[in-house]
Amino acid sequence: MKTMSPVRLALLAGILGLSGLLAACGTSTATSAAPAPHSISGGLAQGGGSMDYANADKSVIGSAGPANHPATDAVLTAQGNQKVIQDASLGIRIKSGSFWDSYNQAVTIAARFNGYLVSSQVGDATASETDAGTVVVAVPASSYSDALAAIRQLGTPTQLQVTSQDVSGEYVDLQSRLKNQQAQQAILLDLMRRAQNIPDSIAVQNQLSTVTGQIEQIEGRIRFLDQRTTFSTITVHFFTVAAAPVQASLWDRSGLRQSFATAGQTFVAVIGGMLVVTGFVLPFILLLLLAFGVWRLLPVSLRPVLRRPTSS
């Protein structure tokens, strides 16, 4: 067996080590570039190249397309992080004059579950009494069912509409798009730093502005979904039912009731007139009766004699 010289052994070891280092660098580069592949032709540093931004953006978005959503949604569901928007709308009949008490109780229930008042619409300024209005409250999604059950106790529920919208797929898609847009933004910022002339700098700046605007839109939508899935809204319509008018009976519709009422009023008026006349004449009658009684008590000789006038 031939033994290798120390010089050759050291040279071979150096070659093997350099090959391993190059292989590791290549693997690391491929792995880091895999989530956000871009298609770039040439470069601004060379002055004659161009960038295919549209194709690059499509390739980035396509790499995280809808094919990945089912698996990601399953992960969200398994982890208990499913994004669901829950809303409820119900009508509650209350007693007349108790609207403001029910209004305050609804707001108090929302506060008890760490919620808040979103909006309200109550009557108008000319109404003498408020018997109807709408209250919208938001409560944490974890307390949504309990808060809804408590609000239903404020009166007689007459209508209930509950809606649930699963936005987990949209949320995952937005997260993927955000990462891709942020990666493209980083590349454009790097190209901006390496730009050697004004036209190239302006071209990159225009693309950078577009990407930045898309990032802001995506982030705004994500914030909206976070808010709507963290808090559920409950819309309550309070109202009262006016008493139904009493339908007139046949007795009333025939007019007999009115006739008898008129006759009764006339009879009472006649009796009243007779009492007035009697009250006026009664003293004179009593005086005449008193005089007649005194005349009867006198002796016959003392009774005044009414003489008849003699005719001449």
Side-chain angles (χ1 to χ4, degrees):
M1 183 176 179
K2 188 181 292 184
T3 304
M4 298 180 63
S5 64
V7 176
R8 290 184 176 180
L9 184 60
L11 181 60
L12 180 60
I15 293 174
L16 293 176
L18 181 59
S19 300
L21 181 61
L22 292 175
C25 292
T27 303
S28 176
T29 303
T31 303
S32 61
H38 294 268
S39 175
I40 302 177
S41 301
L44 297 179
Q46 286 75 18
S50 62
M51 296 182 62
D52 189 359
Y53 296 103
N55 293 334
D57 187 54
K58 291 179 181 178
S59 65
V60 171
I61 297 175
S63 64
N68 296 331
H69 289 175
T72 312
D73 291 349
V75 173
L76 282 174
T77 305
Q79 294 179 349
N81 295 328
Q82 192 172 11
K83 297 289 184 178
V84 179
I85 297 176
Q86 301 179 100
D87 295 312
S89 176
L90 68 159
I92 296 182
R93 186 173 67 247
I94 58 177
K95 296 180 180 179
S96 179
S98 64
F99 171 80
W100 288 112
D101 183 55
S102 301
Y103 177 97
N104 294 331
Q105 289 186 40
V107 176
T108 301
I109 290 173
R112 189 172 75 219
F113 289 99
N114 297 321
Y116 57 92
L117 174 66
V118 177
S119 64
S120 63
Q121 182 178 359
V122 181
D124 53 48
T126 61
S128 58
E129 184 177 357
T130 302
D131 282 335
T134 301
V135 182
V136 182
V137 296
V139 295
S142 58
S143 306
Y144 166 71
S145 299
D146 296 334
L148 181 60
I151 291 177
R152 291 177 61 185
Q153 304 301 318
L154 297 180
T156 303
T158 60
Q159 173 264 339
L160 175 62
Q161 180 179 1
V162 178
T163 59
S164 298
Q165 180 183 2
D166 190 348
V167 294
S168 302
E170 180 185 0
Y171 194 84
V172 172
D173 180 68
L174 289 171
Q175 294 285 355
S176 300
R177 289 171 54 192
L178 179 61
K179 292 179 181 178
N180 292 333
Q181 294 294 333
Q182 289 174 339
Q184 187 173 1
Q185 184 185 47
I187 292 176
L188 291 172
L189 289 173
D190 182 65
L191 292 176
M192 175 70 73
R193 288 191 296 268
R194 293 190 290 115
Q196 296 181 350
N197 53 60
I198 295 178
D200 290 344
S201 178
I202 293 176
V204 175
Q205 180 64 39
N206 291 336
Q207 293 295 328
L208 184 61
S209 298
T210 302
V211 172
T212 303
Q214 293 176 355
I215 290 176
E216 292 176 352
Q217 291 179 358
I218 294 173
E219 289 177 340
R221 181 63 179 174
I222 289 176
R223 286 192 298 268
F224 172 78
L225 293 180
D226 284 336
Q227 173 67 19
R228 294 290 284 112
T229 55
T230 303
F231 284 87
S232 300
T233 60
I234 301 176
T235 303
V236 189
H237 305 280
F238 291 113
F239 66 95
T240 59
V241 177
V246 179
Q247 187 177 4
S249 63
L250 179 61
W251 174 264
D252 294 326
R253 294 196 301 270
S254 64
L256 293 176
R257 178 185 293 275
Q258 184 64 29
S259 300
F260 276 98
T262 303
Q265 292 174 359
T266 304
F267 175 78
V268 171
V270 171
I271 296 298
M274 293 175 62
L275 290 175
V276 170
V277 172
T278 302
F280 177 76
V281 178
L282 183 61
F284 298 98
I285 295 176
L286 291 176
L287 289 175
L288 291 175
L289 291 175
L290 180 61
F292 180 74
V294 172
W295 181 76
R296 291 294 301 270
L297 292 175
L298 291 175
V300 177
S301 59
L302 296 178
R303 292 178 183 176
V305 178
L306 297 176
R307 296 180 180 181
R308 295 179 180 178
T310 57
S311 58
S312 53

